[in-house]
Amino acid sequence: MSQLLALPVPFADAALSHAWPADDDDLVSLDSILEPGPVARALDGLLRRWGPGDRRAAASLWTQGYFGRLLRPVIAYGLVHDIWFSMTLPDVQVGLSDMATPVRFVLKRAAPASLSMHLHAIVEDNVRPLIARMAKVTDTSERVHWSNASYAFCRACSQVRDLWQLGAMSGDVARGSTRCRR
């Protein structure tokens, strides 16, 4: 398989941020960019692009962009196609923007497990350790990053639930998404 299956319309943008690696990809491990130097470069890039401001606000923008680009499609692939990915920080490969922020992801398939185990792994293998490291490196509160992650997580669940309620996809696939409310 050379590309991922298509996702329904609210997730059509996922093709832009999730892909199989190509020979010419310039990818780095997510783990490698969660260090003071790479994070500082990314915050500098965000501040250059969006104007001078508070570095804490830039750190929030970083995680907001990261979780929006990663979690929404990952949850959608899982709930819509039953395609789940390994979410450990070293397993997530990223392509960086000109601001040094993650904009593209290449992920490994995860071993089969229950829906609850896959969702648990997203939080415990990716969200929790990323938030802890970003808060430490940027001297920000974990709460702001949890808010960004929660928004992306629940937005994905809500969008899948809406598709299911509209009859746009099989109820068997989306049933697990109804637990996350707006």
Side-chain angles (χ1 to χ4, degrees):
M1 178 183 275
S2 61
Q3 61 184 1
L4 292 170
L5 296 171
L7 287 170
V9 171
F11 302 101
D13 61 331
L16 301 175
S17 61
H18 287 71
W20 295 92
D23 292 336
D24 60 348
D25 276 341
D26 190 18
L27 300 171
V28 295
S29 166
L30 175 61
D31 206 34
S32 72
I33 65 168
L34 294 175
E35 299 294 332
V39 169
R41 283 190 291 281
L43 299 184
D44 290 343
L46 286 166
L47 291 171
R48 272 193 307 277
R49 171 77 48 91
W50 302 112
D54 186 341
R55 291 184 78 72
R56 293 171 299 177
S60 177
L61 282 175
W62 191 101
T63 58
Q64 184 179 45
Y66 171 81
F67 291 129
R69 287 185 191 99
L70 180 73
L71 293 184
R72 280 186 58 248
V74 163
I75 291 166
Y77 278 115
L79 296 177
V80 173
H81 293 302
D82 197 28
I83 296 173
W84 296 95
F85 300 99
S86 172
M87 298 298 291
T88 64
L89 300 183
D91 280 352
V92 176
Q93 298 292 305
V94 297
L96 300 175
S97 71
D98 60 346
M99 295 182 294
T101 58
V103 292
R104 193 164 158 280
F105 302 92
V106 176
L107 307 169
K108 298 177 182 177
R109 291 286 293 267
S114 68
L115 173 62
S116 62
M117 290 303 297
H118 284 300
L119 294 174
H120 183 266
I122 290 170
V123 173
E124 294 302 322
D125 293 347
N126 189 282
V127 174
R128 186 176 307 281
L130 183 130
I131 287 172
R133 286 180 62 182
M134 279 299 287
K136 182 179 178 183
V137 168
T138 62
D139 197 30
T140 54
S141 168
E142 288 187 10
R143 290 191 324 186
V144 71
H145 305 298
W146 276 111
S147 177
N148 291 336
S150 297
Y151 175 78
F153 198 96
C154 285
R155 182 173 177 223
C157 292
S158 295
Q159 288 176 320
V160 172
R161 183 194 62 228
D162 292 347
L163 289 170
W164 173 52
Q165 290 174 342
L166 292 170
M169 55 186 269
S170 165
D172 290 341
V173 174
R175 198 163 326 276
S177 68
T178 61
R179 291 183 183 89
C180 193
R181 300 282 183 228
R182 289 181 203 188

